[in-house]
């Protein structure tokens, strides 16, 4: 999945130049942060401070190095400017090669291998799970982990807990449950694995800074293994086995997601073009298996947190499909409620907006992050690239600030309509990566009658200025 690179259209630089000129018009706030190393995953953490004009929040991201220094998991502090605070001139003045003053590294964890995926526990977002090129899932208490210096030869940090159960590498498919301390993962062994870390949550909170002393209930064990990255001293690390192993895919599982209303229900997608729904209460076999949800590999899936009937899938065929689970049946070709076609390359990430149930985002190898609203399908507003020329049905905003594939993005649940997104930069743009935090101007997504009423207040001023 890491090698899903596809050539961007030749006009990428022209597109970016045009986008940058429109930043003051299209965005309420934007921060551009140059990364020395590419990042494969980015996630919002807890909000830690509120102030008059901005809030401070944790931000998790990875650094995928070339081996000259270790791979790391980075915990940053991010200053999130509140709506309608930033001046247009301010948000347009950024240098692509510079670090943003709004993003400051807080702590570095030396990760045993590349950080392929990061997921936070909604019940306690200081607890995160990571995937690397191994069968294990690693659990970290990011607040109690010591800050490390990423220098060549440094031993990897020790995770607070290891989840075992995969028989082959589990690289990308990873999710944490919104209502219970459950974790699911998918991998190359074609399985979906479920764990409960309930017994360990209190231990992680109590044993600040000591992974070795973590104690818990009877389902855990202490596994002795060799410390990664050069150390030859055996260390004890607590681990737990799977609560269930679910079999039904015929190829690598690429993404998984919990049902927002049930810790026992989840879904998965894979390179076999299948979308599968599972229910741990009924066993380890598929409840519903849509054999051909797309015409190609499926890369990503998300379950609507506000209307749990709807599930999104993204594929190598560059399309996003929306399924209604009330109409899903096993076998045959999947019949989505709607197909969203606005990307020109493989879709890598889809996520529902936490602020409006009909809105979602999608990012792809074409370097574009699209924002959709399925309620706009068939309406006059089903617009396009930032309210310009008409585009695919349901598309109402295109974020074109990245110049290479957008591997992941994440809506901010603490700050409505705010998104963090990452892209790897190709050699033409200096390598490394780009992290952007942005919020489109609210005139784009608010109801039309509200926007017109607000603009009407300024009509006399505008007429005076144009006279």
């Amino acid at each position: 999945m890491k090698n899903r690179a596809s050539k961007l259209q030749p006009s990428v630089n022209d597109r970016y130049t045009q986008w940058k000129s429109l930043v003051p018009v299209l965005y309420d706030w934007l921060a551009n942060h140059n990364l020395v190393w590419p990042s494969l995953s980015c996630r919002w953490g807890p909000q830690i401070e509120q102030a008059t004009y901005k809030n401070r929040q944790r931000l998790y991201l990875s650094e995928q190095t070339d081996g000259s220094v270790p791979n790391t998991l980075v915990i940053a502090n991010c200053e999130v400017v509140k709506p309608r605070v930033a001046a247009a001139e301010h948000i347009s003045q950024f240098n692509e090669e510079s670090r943003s003053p709004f993003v400051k590294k807080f702590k570095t964890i030396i990760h045993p291998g590349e950080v392929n995926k990061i997921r936070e526990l909604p019940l306690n977002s200081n607890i995160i799970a990571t995937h690397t090129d191994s069968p294990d899932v690693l659990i970290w208490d990011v607040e109690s982990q010591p800050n490390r210096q990423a220098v060549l030869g440094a031993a990897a940090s020790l995770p607070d807990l290891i989840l075992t159960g995969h028989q082959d590498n589990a690289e990308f498919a990873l999710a944490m449950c919104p209502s219970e301390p459950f974790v699911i993962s998918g991998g190359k062994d074609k399985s979906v694995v479920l764990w409960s870390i309930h017994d360990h949550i209190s231990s992680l909170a109590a044993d600040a800074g000591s992974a070795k002393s973590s104690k818990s209930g009877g389902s855990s064990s202490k596994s002795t293994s060799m410390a990664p990255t050069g150390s030859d001293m055996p260390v004890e690390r607590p681990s737990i086995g799977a609560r269930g192993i679910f079999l039904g895919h015929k190829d690598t599982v690429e993404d998984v997601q919990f049902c927002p209303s049930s810790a026992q229900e989840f879904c998965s997608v894979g390179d076999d073009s299948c979308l599968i729904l599972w229910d741990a209460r009924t066993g380890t076999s598929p409840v519903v298996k849509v054999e051909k949800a797309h015409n190609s590999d499926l890369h990503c899936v998300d379950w609507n947190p506000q209307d749990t009937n709807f599930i999104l899938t993204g594929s190598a065929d560059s399309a996003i499909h929306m399924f209604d689970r009330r109409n899903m049946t096993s076998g045959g070709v999947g019949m989505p409620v709607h197909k969203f076609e606005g990307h020109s390359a493989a879709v890598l990430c889809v996520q529902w907006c936490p602020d409006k149930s009909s809105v979602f985002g999608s990012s792809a190898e074409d370097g574009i992050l699209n924002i959709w609203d399925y309620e706009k399908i068939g309406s006059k507003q089903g617009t396009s690239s930032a309210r310009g020329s008409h585009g695919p049905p349901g598309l109402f905003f295109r974020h074109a600030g990245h110049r290479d594939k957008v591997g992941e993005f994440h809506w901010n649940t603490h700050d409505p309509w705010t998104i963090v997104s990452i892209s790897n930069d190709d050699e033409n743009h200096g390598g490394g990566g780009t992290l952007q935090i942005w919020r489109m101007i609210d005139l784009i997504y608010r109801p039309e009658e509200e926007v017109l009423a607000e603009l009407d207040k300024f009509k006399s001023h505008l007429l005076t200025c144009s006279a």
Side-chain angles (χ1 to χ4, degrees):
M1 183 170 168
K2 273 177 287 188
N3 295 322
R4 290 175 180 164
S6 65
K7 292 184 178 179
L8 298 183
Q9 297 179 6
S11 60
V12 62
N13 288 328
D14 293 338
R15 183 189 71 195
Y16 178 81
T17 300
Q18 181 185 26
W19 168 81
K20 193 171 181 182
S21 70
L22 293 172
V23 164
V25 179
L26 301 180
Y27 295 86
D28 179 62
W29 179 58
L30 182 139
N32 188 92
H33 187 71
N34 177 260
L35 300 172
V36 176
W37 302 107
S39 181
L40 295 179
S41 191
C42 61
R43 301 293 287 185
W44 289 108
Q47 192 174 84
I48 55 177
E49 185 180 341
Q50 295 185 343
T52 304
Y53 298 110
K54 57 188 177 182
N55 299 322
R56 181 174 296 162
Q57 190 170 350
R58 292 278 194 257
L59 187 65
Y60 307 136
L61 62 147
S62 64
E63 289 183 323
Q64 182 189 8
T65 72
D66 61 0
S68 59
V69 293
N71 293 284
T72 61
L73 173 64
V74 175
I75 296 91
N77 286 335
C78 178
E79 305 285 348
V80 181
V81 175
K82 290 185 176 181
R84 300 200 171 197
V85 169
E89 311 83 57
H90 173 75
I91 65 171
S92 64
Q93 293 171 354
F94 67 87
N95 184 338
E96 291 85 350
E97 311 306 322
S98 300
R99 307 286 187 89
S100 170
F102 296 101
V103 180
K104 297 187 184 301
K105 187 178 290 188
F106 169 71
K107 183 182 288 187
T108 297
I109 295 171
I110 300 179
H111 200 267
E114 295 179 358
V115 185
N116 296 335
K117 186 66 72 76
I118 304 168
R119 287 296 179 265
E120 74 289 347
L121 183 65
L123 297 173
N124 179 355
S125 52
N126 289 323
I127 308 297
I128 65 171
T130 61
H131 263 173
T132 187
D133 294 337
S134 84
D136 298 332
V137 177
L138 308 180
I139 303 294
W140 309 85
D141 182 342
V142 296
E143 289 300 306
S144 67
Q145 281 284 331
N147 186 27
R148 301 288 305 281
Q149 187 172 359
V151 296
L152 183 62
S157 302
L158 297 177
D160 294 273
L161 184 64
I162 301 172
L163 310 185
T164 63
H166 278 295
Q167 302 303 309
D168 202 343
N169 285 358
E171 294 181 341
F172 292 97
L174 181 65
M176 301 186 91
C177 179
S179 58
E180 297 285 343
F182 290 175
V183 182
I184 49 174
S185 167
K188 289 185 175 180
D189 58 4
K190 309 171 189 175
S191 70
V192 175
V193 184
L194 170 70
W195 296 270
S196 170
I197 57 173
H198 182 274
D199 296 332
H200 289 265
I201 293 300
S202 57
S203 298
L204 294 178
D207 298 340
S210 177
K212 293 183 182 180
S213 63
S214 178
K215 301 182 186 295
S216 60
S219 63
S220 68
S221 64
K222 285 198 173 182
S223 62
T224 301
S225 59
M226 303 303 289
T229 28
S231 172
D232 57 0
M233 295 296 292
V235 294
E236 286 187 336
R237 296 180 290 176
S239 65
I240 58 172
R243 173 171 283 204
I245 297 177
F246 299 80
L247 300 174
H249 282 284
K250 296 177 182 177
D251 206 334
T252 299
V253 180
E254 292 284 9
D255 200 11
V256 289
Q257 189 58 260
F258 277 99
C259 173
S261 61
S262 171
Q264 305 295 329
E265 297 177 75
F266 40 94
C267 62
S268 59
V269 295
D271 289 343
D272 55 3
S273 302
C274 291
L275 164 64
I276 299 181
L277 270 56
W278 313 86
D279 190 333
R281 296 166 296 191
T282 64
T284 58
S285 297
V287 173
V288 176
K289 183 176 182 179
V290 181
E291 295 281 357
K292 200 165 182 59
H294 284 257
N295 294 320
S296 189
D297 300 356
L298 273 72
H299 291 167
C300 47
V301 65
D302 197 30
W303 206 317
N304 194 319
Q306 299 177 67
D307 187 341
T308 57
N309 290 313
F310 295 127
I311 296 172
L312 293 172
T313 58
S315 169
D317 64 9
S318 74
I320 301 109
H321 289 181
M322 184 172 76
F323 291 91
D324 186 334
R325 67 168 172 166
R326 295 166 296 187
N327 300 330
M328 291 171 60
T329 56
S330 291
V333 178
M335 295 299 294
V337 177
H338 192 77
K339 298 179 181 180
F340 299 88
E341 298 175 330
H343 288 288
S344 59
V347 178
L348 301 178
C349 183
V350 290
Q351 192 193 5
W352 290 100
C353 173
D355 305 302
K356 187 178 180 185
S357 62
S358 60
V359 171
F360 65 90
S362 63
S363 67
E365 289 184 352
D366 58 10
I368 297 293
L369 201 165
N370 284 330
I371 306 297
W372 310 79
D373 186 345
Y374 68 75
E375 287 185 347
K376 294 186 184 300
I377 296 173
S379 72
K380 291 188 297 182
Q381 282 187 313
T383 101
S384 67
S385 164
R387 298 222 185 226
S389 58
H390 288 279
L395 178 64
F396 73 95
F397 189 82
R398 305 194 83 179
H399 177 66
H402 294 283
R403 291 173 290 175
D404 211 325
K405 63 179 181 179
V406 184
E408 191 168 56
F409 67 93
H410 190 204
W411 295 89
N412 193 336
T413 57
H414 293 283
D415 198 271
W417 293 89
T418 301
I419 288 175
V420 58
S421 53
I422 53 168
S423 63
N424 293 350
D425 296 339
D426 62 26
E427 293 182 359
N428 294 330
H429 303 120
T434 297
L435 180 143
Q436 291 181 339
I437 304 160
W438 52 277
R439 183 193 308 116
M440 71 183 84
I441 193 167
D442 62 6
L443 297 178
I444 293 174
Y445 59 79
R446 283 168 53 202
E448 185 174 352
E449 58 275 12
E450 284 186 20
V451 173
L452 292 175
E454 181 168 333
L455 292 177
D456 191 59
K457 297 176 184 177
F458 298 97
K459 183 166 60 175
S460 59
H461 175 73
L462 293 171
L463 290 173
T464 301
C465 291
S466 61

